[in-house]
Amino acid sequence: MLEFVDSAAQAVSRITDGATVLIGGFGNAGQPMELIDALMDSGATGLTVVNNNAGQADAGLALLIKERRVAKIICSFPRQSDSWHFDEAYRAGEIELELVPQGNLAERMRAAGAGIGGFFSPTGYGTQLAEGKEVREIDGRHYVLESPIRGDFALIKAYAADPAGNLVYRKTARNFGPVMATAAAHTIVQVDEVLEESLNPEHVVTPGIYVDTVVGIPTESGVKEREERAALAAGQPKPCLATKTAAELAAEK
Amino acid sequence: MSEFRSTDAPLTQDELAQVIAEDIQPGSFVNLGIGQPTTVSNYLSPEKKVTLHTENGMLGFGPQATGDQIDGDLINAGKIPVTELPGASYFHHADSFAMMRGGHLDVCVLGAYQVSAQGDLANWSTGKPGAIPAVGGAMDLAIGAKDTYVMMDLFTKKGDVKLLPECTFPLTGVGCVSRIYSDRAVLLLDSSGIVKVRELHGITLEELREAHPEVTFETVGA
């Protein structure tokens, strides 16, 4: 049953020790920072986390890892210039890592959400990351059997939710959100705007059937969105719109 | 297929980017890898109507954002703020990689540690013991586009060859690279393992063969 709650703490209160949690975001875009902070405060531990990365700097997922709340991480790109908390936990042998190519990571969650028991992917064939996995040649091409990744919970950030729990996202902050929403038993969403009116059904990206808990939390995304709308209302182009291509800019230099 | 050509000096990075840009067909959908391959976009003229894909979920991004254009929700795969061009679209990660894996992208340009004569690619790990692994979208990109081009120096800074009969570093993809664009040579690869030489810059065919005694080279049109 869809619920709208008042705080991030309420939104994550169901998450228990040992849960598998899918956390959206690519870098900081679409990362549900306030939900992750609330998960930290909840004390839940022994978590398996699925995210593209393994935390940046001293915020969000990086802090969960620093406090050793994450027993296992499934991700594509843990090593970054500012992933020091993951690096330390990994070197100390205090976190398990399952490294998955980014597209396989997304597709394995898509499969879980779509009720697919496994799929043959060409990505990773002939590499270390396919070792021990079933390989099949289909129409002259080699594929590797990949399994679904299901979550007990998904924590994602969308831009707005309507009363039916339908979601829209903002720019590249969409990234893993729509896929994770389908792959978890219980999907928790933070949005900048909780709408009183229904979204245009043609514009819905994640239908409400995939959404369980919604909490409204204002972030920088809302600030940028309002700036953009104000510009458009004043008959000006969106601030993020390029007036020149890279080649035109390079030619001017 | 153009004819064999050679010049006396190695290509600069900008000249190399320009050579690649000239080979990208008008109307193509292209993914440029993080780092050096990004510079190819500086030479893709607007008249060519090439659309750039970034695997975190966007087609039609423009140059790096500056000043008021910067929006934390609008970044490329290198996590750098970028801009929208008219006609841009956003989509989720599974769609983005399906687009790639499904053969809808025309060209992907990637960097490389090593490439084999049959087009195997090694660009995600040097296999150093104790190093923390990270693959990102490298394996998906390597096999995803209709054509995968590698942009690299022909030799390492230490002077080691990067084109080998077999890669010694962990593989990113098997038989996936169709062309190497390097400072000293433009090379065409296929499953035969015979490397076709399209361009040489500051190196002769004899010197190329001497440096790579285990690789067979033929000039294009030969």
Side-chain angles (χ1 to χ4, degrees):
Chain A
M1 178 72 186
L2 175 67
E3 59 175 3
F4 290 81
V5 299
D6 295 326
S7 71
Q10 279 173 279
V12 303
S13 59
R14 282 192 180 81
I15 302 179
T16 51
D17 292 355
T20 295
V21 186
L22 317 178
I23 301 181
F26 178 85
N28 287 327
Q31 191 172 167
M33 204 60 92
E34 288 75 9
L35 291 179
I36 302 170
D37 289 347
L39 180 60
M40 176 83 167
D41 293 341
S42 79
T45 193
L47 303 170
T48 293
V49 167
V50 184
N51 183 259
N52 189 60
N53 303 103
Q56 284 88 225
D58 288 295
L61 177 54
L63 293 183
L64 274 181
I65 292 169
K66 181 189 176 195
E67 297 301 326
R68 302 296 187 266
R69 304 285 183 75
V70 182
K72 178 178 179 181
I73 189 151
I74 303 174
C75 71
S76 83
F77 208 81
R79 187 193 65 230
Q80 302 184 90
S81 59
D82 55 359
S83 62
W84 44 76
H85 292 307
F86 171 80
D87 298 0
E88 192 191 312
Y90 183 76
R91 293 221 159 88
E94 291 170 357
I95 190 166
E96 186 188 339
L97 168 67
E98 182 180 343
L99 189 71
V100 182
Q102 204 169 327
N104 282 355
L105 187 67
E107 192 64 14
R108 287 175 65 184
M109 287 187 278
R110 199 199 71 80
I116 302 294
F119 60 96
F120 283 96
S121 170
T123 301
Y125 166 72
T127 75
Q128 282 177 1
L129 299 190
E131 277 172 15
K133 293 182 178 178
E134 184 183 337
V135 169
R136 192 172 296 181
E137 189 177 333
I138 303 168
D139 292 336
R141 194 172 192 199
H142 289 93
Y143 296 83
V144 180
L145 180 62
E146 294 290 346
S147 57
I149 299 175
R150 271 184 202 86
D152 298 310
F153 297 91
L155 302 184
I156 64 172
K157 179 181 177 180
Y159 183 71
D162 78 4
N166 297 314
L167 306 177
V168 287
Y169 299 81
R170 201 167 172 273
K171 306 185 191 292
T172 59
R174 183 184 302 198
N175 57 65
F176 284 96
V179 181
M180 288 181 168
T182 69
H186 189 105
T187 294
I188 303 164
V189 190
Q190 72 168 75
V191 293
D192 273 75
E193 289 187 30
V194 178
L195 305 172
E196 288 174 14
E197 301 291 318
S198 296
L199 284 163
N200 181 335
E202 297 287 2
H203 296 173
V204 171
V205 176
T206 292
I209 189 171
Y210 299 116
V211 176
D212 300 284
T213 301
V214 177
V215 57
I217 300 172
T219 71
E220 181 66 19
S221 297
V223 175
K224 295 306 266 187
E225 181 65 20
R226 285 187 290 277
E227 280 176 17
E228 191 165 302
R229 287 178 190 172
L232 290 171
Q236 292 161 353
K238 294 194 285 188
C240 69
L241 193 72
T243 49
K244 288 172 181 162
T245 68
E248 287 170 310
L249 288 175
E252 284 172 12
K253 277 185 189 162
Chain B
M1 172 91 52
S2 42
E3 287 182 8
F4 172 75
R5 73 182 189 108
S6 65
T7 62
D8 291 338
L11 298 176
T12 64
Q13 294 214 352
D14 282 335
E15 287 168 342
L16 184 58
Q18 203 168 349
V19 169
I20 297 173
E22 280 165 12
D23 281 355
I24 291 174
Q25 296 303 305
S28 295
F29 292 88
V30 175
N31 186 300
L32 300 175
I34 295 167
Q36 200 191 348
T38 305
T39 61
V40 172
S41 65
N42 292 341
Y43 300 97
L44 292 169
S45 67
E47 297 76 48
K48 267 192 149 173
K49 296 195 184 306
V50 169
T51 304
L52 296 180
H53 171 261
T54 182
E55 60 268 28
N56 55 316
M58 183 181 188
L59 278 167
F61 68 93
Q64 187 169 343
T66 56
D68 290 343
Q69 291 177 326
I70 294 173
D71 185 328
D73 288 339
L74 177 46
I75 59 173
N76 67 12
K79 304 192 174 84
I80 292 167
V82 291
T83 48
E84 274 180 18
L85 285 171
S89 57
Y90 297 110
F91 32 84
H92 64 65
H93 248 71
D95 276 352
S96 185
F97 283 88
M99 195 177 284
M100 198 185 280
R101 208 188 294 112
H104 306 282
L105 288 183
D106 296 292
V107 174
C108 175
V109 184
L110 296 172
Y113 296 138
Q114 295 177 333
V115 182
S116 84
Q118 295 83 20
D120 297 348
L121 172 67
N123 77 348
W124 75 282
S125 164
T126 57
K128 205 161 72 179
I132 295 171
V135 67
M139 289 186 180
D140 309 273
L141 284 163
I143 57 104
K146 288 178 195 150
D147 268 306
T148 299
Y149 298 164
V150 156
M151 181 180 196
M152 67 177 196
D153 289 334
L154 194 58
F155 301 98
T156 67
K157 287 198 177 75
K158 284 197 245 164
D160 294 330
V161 294
K162 297 174 76 170
L163 171 63
L164 298 157
E166 299 284 341
C167 296
T168 58
F169 290 159
L171 289 186
T172 308
V174 177
C176 54
V177 178
S178 56
R179 295 183 187 186
I180 297 173
Y181 289 87
S182 74
D183 53 344
R184 290 177 181 272
V186 176
L187 306 169
L188 314 182
L189 310 182
D190 59 41
S191 56
S192 73
I194 297 168
V195 177
K196 314 287 185 303
V197 183
R198 195 186 81 180
E199 296 179 27
L200 290 175
H201 302 283
I203 191 170
T204 65
L205 190 58
E206 291 66 39
E207 287 166 341
L208 184 72
R209 284 178 169 144
E210 247 168 64
H212 304 83
E214 293 174 277
V215 177
T216 306
F217 295 96
E218 280 176 6
T219 52
V220 292

